[in-house]
Amino acid sequence: MPTTDPKIDAYIAKAPAYARPVLTRLRKIVHAALPDVVEGTKWSSPHFDYKGIFCSMSAFKQHAMFGFWLEKALRESISTADGKTLAALHHIESVDDLPDDKTLIRIIKAGAKLNDAGVKMAREKKPPKPMPKTPPALVTALKKNAKARATFERASPSFKREYIDWITDAKADDTRQRRLETAVEWMAEGKGRNWKYEPKK
């Protein structure tokens, strides 16, 4: 008998009427495909672990979904037809939308092989944010204060960005001017925008 988690029982019981048979069947098939799978909840949804995070299911007002942690790698390792089936599992409006048990089990076992092999999710590296343009008023103010200008010029991009964003995000002109004056004052003392929250050395 599979080991079940009462939290998933409760989740299914509270799900919309259309979703209950969908979630119940998905749960049953996951256990049929992988008897060693471990139930639990993550991010408020039912999850199944198998040698690490494996797959999950969720129910929304109009549709349910079923997906895998290593979905991108899984999609690349299965047939085109199974790949289309996998994509369709992201929008399930009734139990009739589910593929046959054999197909689901095949996809689940293909996903398990990735976890068996220790495949990890590839993290996409986001390109660094472009440096915002220094406001002309700040350029002018820094020219008049050598210490502040020296601090700003040798500072890291994140240091500069925090001050520039703080100044330019001000809605009112008087607020922007006050922030500009404060920024120059703090930079003259070698302080960053969030110096009050930095650990004391």
Side-chain angles (χ1 to χ4, degrees):
M1 291 292 291
T3 301
T4 58
D5 188 328
K7 291 180 181 178
I8 295 184
D9 293 323
Y11 183 95
I12 293 174
K14 292 179 181 178
Y18 83 88
R20 290 172 209 150
V22 173
L23 299 177
T24 299
R25 185 173 164 207
L26 285 170
R27 184 187 197 184
K28 181 180 178 181
I29 293 172
V30 169
H31 282 287
L34 292 173
D36 295 334
V37 81
V38 177
E39 289 190 354
T41 55
K42 289 183 178 69
W43 306 294
S44 303
S45 295
H47 269 65
F48 302 92
D49 284 5
Y50 172 76
K51 299 181 180 180
I53 300 176
F54 182 55
C55 63
S56 64
M57 58 186 187
S58 300
F60 307 100
K61 287 185 178 179
Q62 303 295 332
H63 75 280
M65 67 81 61
F66 179 74
F68 294 81
W69 182 248
L70 297 174
E71 186 132 345
K72 184 178 179 181
L74 175 57
R75 196 164 54 244
E76 294 170 353
S77 71
I78 57 181
S79 68
T80 301
D82 282 351
K84 290 180 179 179
T85 298
L86 180 61
L89 292 173
H90 285 215
H91 193 97
I92 308 164
E93 295 184 0
S94 77
V95 72
D96 294 331
D97 290 339
L98 292 174
D100 60 86
D101 291 5
K102 185 178 178 181
T103 299
L104 266 175
I105 288 173
R106 182 172 62 247
I107 293 172
I108 292 168
K109 287 188 173 181
K113 287 182 180 179
L114 298 175
N115 281 37
D116 287 334
V119 175
K120 301 297 181 184
M121 180 185 287
R123 301 283 183 182
E124 292 184 9
K125 291 186 177 180
K126 295 182 179 179
K129 285 184 179 180
M131 190 66 202
K133 187 176 181 180
T134 305
L138 178 57
V139 173
T140 300
L142 290 174
K143 286 180 179 178
K144 298 177 182 178
N145 190 309
K147 288 184 178 180
R149 183 173 69 252
T151 296
F152 187 81
E153 288 177 348
R154 65 170 178 263
S156 67
S158 61
F159 180 103
K160 295 177 181 178
R161 183 179 289 109
E162 286 175 351
Y163 270 120
I164 292 171
D165 288 347
W166 184 49
I167 294 167
T168 57
D169 285 348
K171 304 299 181 185
D173 290 342
D174 58 339
T175 303
R176 191 177 305 110
Q177 183 60 34
R178 283 199 304 274
R179 290 184 180 182
L180 174 63
E181 293 171 0
T182 301
V184 172
E185 179 185 335
W186 285 351
M187 281 190 277
E189 298 173 2
K191 296 176 179 177
R193 159 75 180 89
N194 296 303
W195 65 271
K196 293 180 180 179
Y197 307 103
E198 294 172 357
K200 294 182 179 181
K201 296 181 179 179

